[in-house]
Amino acid sequence: MLGRTAANLFWLSRYVERAENMARLLEVGYRMSLTSRREGGASEHLVSMMQAAEVDEAFALKHDVADVDTVARYMMFDPDNPSSVYSCLQAARTNARAVRTAITTDMWESMNGAWLEFSQIKPRDVRGAKLLGLLQWVKQRSHEFRGALLGTILRDDGFAFLQAGNFVERADNTARILDMKYYVLLPRSSLVGGEIDIQQWTLILRAASAHRAYRHVYHDRYKAHNIADFLIMRQEMPRSLVYCANFVQQNLDNLAKLYGRKECCHEAAESLLSMVEGTDMETIFSNGLHEFLTEFVARNNRVTDALSESYNFY
């Protein structure tokens, strides 16, 4: 497969997943802001969400106040924000159009339809309950595209690049959602273990669509240790860090079988997986959850860089 085609497929899948993940981050930031009654609390939670997404500095250059409406417009509709839902859907459609013959009709229609519908939405009309409705719509359209992908495309090298892009992005997002909890509690360590702390951990689960699944595994009340364990170490949780890292390696191994050799990206993927499999929650909390997540995101980024080098993503 041509390097450009492989890159288009990889980034098509990443941008669809990123659009959904930005919706997830915004939802948890918005809902966390509702749990705080302190003056300025809402702004603090929204800024924490943008810190986790690494868009806070760019936001501050354009806006003086981080209220719900301003942050929502920036995260959803701002074309100058490369991680906004608008930018992600536009980039995903551009990549899909570039490889129109390498994807199925169902995938193209799903992607094209999502972009055309979203591009008609007026930002001024999206507030309050409508914002939550739109966030749910973004997630549903991502699921529709993923269903078309899994149900119609050949299991060849194109499928491996699509799946690698999906799970590299998903791993990044789960780490950022967990890291958002760090940013929220950093200024006020006295809140750890309190009612607000537990509420916010619960919202983290909801952001990962893991609320019900968590209760099937852990039958007691919500605990920070168990929630972090569920989203980092549990092999059966499809958004956990270990699941995503393992799935990335599996798809890169499939490429090695198809092409008859391993590349530097395989070493990077193995390093990512070994980081999670070679530790436990006690060690992670002892050494620092934020430090662990920061290193995980860095290694995850190296997988993308190594993929670009290995398969000429230019």
Side-chain angles (χ1 to χ4, degrees), residues 6 26 45 49 64 73-74 84 134 146 197 207 221 268 288 298:
L26 180 55
H45 288 297
M49 177 271 296
D64 296 324
R73 283 196 299 271
Y74 184 74
S84 70
L134 180 58
R146 198 67 56 201
D197 180 37
R221 67 192 297 269

Side-chain angles (χ1 to χ4, degrees), residues 117-131:
E117 189 172 346
F118 187 84
S119 63
Q120 298 302 310
I121 298 173
K122 295 180 173 59
R124 64 175 179 272
D125 295 335
V126 181
R127 297 187 177 190
K130 289 186 176 180
L131 172 60

Side-chain angles (χ1 to χ4, degrees), residues 84-95:
S84 70
V85 173
Y86 177 94
S87 297
C88 290
L89 291 180
Q90 185 181 52
R93 180 177 181 268
T94 299
N95 279 281

Side-chain angles (χ1 to χ4, degrees), residues 6-304:
N8 287 140
L9 292 171
F10 177 83
W11 284 103
L12 160 61
S13 196
R14 279 202 72 166
Y15 279 123
V16 172
E17 182 72 20
R18 186 175 298 178
E20 176 186 345
N21 293 339
M22 288 302 105
R24 290 178 181 277
L25 274 173
L26 180 55
E27 180 178 4
V28 74
Y30 174 73
R31 291 189 184 278
M32 275 188 176
S33 72
L34 300 179
T35 67
S36 176
R37 297 181 180 179
R38 273 194 321 114
E39 185 71 22
S43 175
E44 177 184 324
H45 288 297
L46 294 168
V47 170
S48 297
M49 177 271 296
M50 291 190 290
Q51 287 176 328
E54 295 188 352
V55 298
D56 54 309
E57 294 182 2
F59 176 87
L61 293 175
K62 295 189 66 174
H63 304 285
D64 296 324
V65 179
D67 56 32
V68 171
D69 290 339
T70 305
V71 172
R73 283 196 299 271
Y74 184 74
M75 295 296 292
M76 295 294 290
F77 299 104
D78 195 333
D80 295 330
N81 174 9
S83 292
S84 70
V85 173
Y86 177 94
S87 297
C88 290
L89 291 180
Q90 185 181 52
R93 180 177 181 268
T94 299
N95 279 281
R97 186 169 54 189
V99 288
R100 180 66 185 84
T101 58
I103 61 176
T104 66
T105 299
D106 288 345
M107 291 171 63
W108 168 250
E109 289 180 350
S110 174
M111 185 68 262
N112 191 48
W115 163 249
L116 292 176
E117 189 172 346
F118 187 84
S119 63
Q120 298 302 310
I121 298 173
K122 295 180 173 59
R124 64 175 179 272
D125 295 335
V126 181
R127 297 187 177 190
K130 289 186 176 180
L131 172 60
L132 292 176
L134 180 58
L135 296 176
Q136 184 64 26
W137 177 89
V138 173
K139 289 187 285 185
Q140 288 173 344
R141 296 312 293 262
S142 173
H143 297 163
E144 178 184 301
F145 174 82
R146 198 67 56 201
L149 188 162
L150 294 174
T152 62
I153 199 167
L154 290 173
R155 270 42 177 180
D156 55 9
D157 48 353
F159 177 76
F161 284 116
L162 284 161
Q163 289 292 78
N166 179 21
F167 283 92
V168 164
E169 186 65 34
R170 184 174 295 182
D172 181 86
N173 179 251
T174 298
R176 291 182 187 280
I177 287 178
L178 279 166
D179 211 26
M180 181 180 170
K181 188 67 174 64
Y182 165 84
Y183 282 114
V184 167
L185 291 178
L186 180 62
R188 303 184 305 283
S189 59
S190 60
L191 293 179
V192 174
E195 181 181 352
I196 292 178
D197 180 37
I198 299 302
Q199 288 177 353
Q200 290 170 346
W201 276 109
T202 304
L203 288 173
I204 293 295
L205 278 177
R206 292 184 182 277
S209 293
H211 175 245
R212 292 182 182 273
Y214 173 88
R215 297 306 296 268
H216 283 291
V217 176
Y218 303 97
H219 301 291
D220 55 2
R221 67 192 297 269
Y222 297 113
K223 296 179 180 178
H225 181 281
N226 289 348
I227 293 171
D229 175 69
F230 191 60
L231 294 177
I232 295 174
M233 307 296 293
R234 299 297 297 209
Q235 292 276 2
E236 65 271 42
M237 169 54 189
R239 302 192 77 88
S240 72
L241 299 187
V242 69
Y243 183 94
C244 293
N246 187 54
F247 214 82
V248 169
Q249 185 176 43
Q250 287 181 26
N251 280 279
L252 295 189
D253 286 344
N254 288 339
L255 286 174
K257 292 177 183 177
L258 288 168
Y259 295 152
R261 66 182 184 279
K262 286 191 172 184
E263 304 285 354
C264 63
C265 60
H266 293 86
E267 181 179 346
E270 289 166 3
S271 173
L272 180 69
L273 181 58
S274 66
M275 178 186 177
V276 187
E277 290 186 332
T279 189
D280 53 52
M281 290 311 302
E282 286 71 21
T283 302
I284 290 173
F285 273 105
S286 175
N287 295 336
L289 177 61
H290 173 66
E291 288 71 20
F292 173 83
L293 295 172
T294 299
E295 175 61 21
F296 182 89
V297 170
R299 293 196 191 194
N300 196 47
N301 289 338
R302 284 199 286 273
V303 172
T304 297

